[in-house]
Amino acid sequence: LVIGEALVDVVIHPGQEPVDIPGGSPANVALGLARLGRDAELHCWIGTDERGQAVRSHLEASGVRLAPGADGAARTSTAQATIGEDRAASYVFDLDWNPPRPTLPDGQAPLLVHTGSIAAILAPGATTVEQVLRETRATSTIAYDPNARPQLMGEPEDAREVVERLVGLSDLVKCSDEDIAWLYGEGADLETVLRSWLEKGAAVVVVTRGKQGALALSASGVRLEVPADPSVVVADTVGAGDSFMGGLEDALWSEDLVGADRREALRAVDAATLERIVRHAAAIADITVSRAGANPPTRDELP
């Protein structure tokens, strides 16, 4: 189960006309998991307008199921994504986030629940997200990506309070170095922050650092760095972090480390297993950044 925003990215490349592309961080994670063959359901908040229909078609074409009630919004939210000369995207949002509580069939608790980004912070829907995490923690692995959006998350110290509370409910937390810099200040030490998140209860924490690669720490004491592949030619970074997150979750699934009954096994993860997990995520993100937009690979495209 993925709970979070789905929207339309209005992508603007220098000197080109804007293009509508379905997106949203949690929706991208659900899409990535479905393309890898995982059973992914997305609880979002879109409308039945033209953009909402485009989002639905985009997700369902890759095998994502939309949860009942996910299309009850008056309109579908948008994010204007401007691609700079460095190929990185900057965002301006027009977002409505007020989903109903998801209805889970009896006896079908999800193995994994993912959330993150705007959905976990923006009222009133953020309250629903936190309730879902608290209710499913007894049955499910909880995965969280803060994915900071300063334009919508208010002051860093207020957002940090929410982020740290959700970290305490989570088993897997992934973020970027930019997230930490905004939440804790430009001079914040990445490892100090990650270790504080482990102390709050997370089992595995991973930070992506662009060309410096990824750093992962675990409750079992593993510290791991996976370098970036210098041969990858970047088209743009749209969806890169979401692809990485989905790759982490897919790898946990393959390693039999999802579900609340596998929580202690995840907390005890060894260095070799964690390295396989992070390298798998990095390989998926590399494919995504090598082509335009949030376009994660299928299982068949993986090396």
Side-chain angles (χ1 to χ4, degrees):
L1 173 69
V2 177
I3 178 167
E5 71 272 9
L7 45 76
V8 169
D9 287 324
V10 183
V11 181
I12 303 173
H13 286 272
Q16 299 180 25
E17 289 295 313
V19 178
D20 280 9
I21 299 175
S25 175
N28 290 339
V29 172
L31 182 76
L33 286 168
R35 287 188 177 180
L36 294 170
R38 302 302 182 183
D39 179 19
E41 179 168 296
L42 175 65
H43 189 64
C44 58
W45 190 232
I46 59 174
T48 56
D49 52 2
E50 185 176 348
R51 281 174 163 159
Q53 292 297 330
V55 169
R56 176 184 285 275
S57 297
H58 173 67
L59 293 168
E60 291 181 345
S62 290
V64 178
R65 296 192 316 278
L66 260 62
D71 61 354
R75 58 181 172 76
T76 300
S77 300
T78 61
Q80 181 176 298
T82 301
I83 309 301
E85 297 298 334
D86 61 354
R87 308 289 184 178
S90 60
Y91 292 89
V92 176
F93 295 91
D94 177 17
L95 192 67
D96 174 32
W97 177 239
N98 187 23
R101 293 278 295 279
T103 302
L104 300 177
D106 291 340
Q108 294 186 29
L111 282 173
L112 184 140
V113 176
H114 168 89
T115 195
S117 197
I118 302 161
I121 296 286
L122 189 67
T127 301
T128 300
V129 170
E130 185 167 341
Q131 288 173 337
V132 169
L133 299 192
R134 292 187 183 278
E135 291 171 2
T136 56
R137 184 167 169 77
T139 56
S140 313
T141 296
I142 306 297
Y144 173 50
D145 178 3
N147 198 7
R149 301 301 189 197
Q151 308 96 315
L152 292 171
M153 291 185 176
E155 295 300 318
E157 57 268 25
D158 297 327
R160 187 166 64 240
E161 181 180 342
V162 178
V163 166
E164 291 182 347
R165 191 165 68 242
L166 297 182
V167 166
L169 293 172
S170 301
D171 301 295
L172 169 67
V173 181
K174 172 263 167 196
C175 67
S176 70
D177 53 358
E178 293 178 344
D179 295 334
I180 290 179
W182 183 72
L183 287 165
Y184 293 90
E186 289 292 340
D189 179 72
L190 296 182
E191 288 198 43
T192 299
V193 172
L194 295 186
R195 292 189 188 282
S196 75
W197 288 358
L198 291 174
E199 291 171 1
K200 293 182 187 303
V204 173
V205 290
V206 185
V207 59
T208 55
R209 305 170 299 175
K211 294 180 180 179
Q212 290 183 282
L215 169 66
L217 302 178
S218 73
S220 58
V222 176
R223 180 192 183 280
L224 173 71
E225 291 193 66
V226 171
D229 183 350
S231 69
V232 174
V233 178
V234 177
D236 65 48
T237 62
V238 177
D242 304 326
S243 291
F244 191 99
M245 185 76 198
L248 291 174
E249 294 166 351
D250 177 63
L252 290 189
W253 221 315
S254 296
E255 297 286 349
D256 189 25
L257 291 173
V258 292
D261 60 337
R262 301 298 294 157
R263 180 162 287 133
E264 291 309 309
L266 178 58
R267 294 186 65 81
V269 68
D270 59 57
T273 302
L274 186 57
E275 182 170 1
R276 287 197 300 272
I277 291 167
V278 177
R279 287 190 179 278
H280 179 71
I284 288 171
D286 284 347
I287 293 173
T288 299
V289 301
S290 72
R291 51 203 194 189
N295 185 13
T298 63
R299 182 78 64 190
D300 290 344
E301 292 179 281
L302 298 184

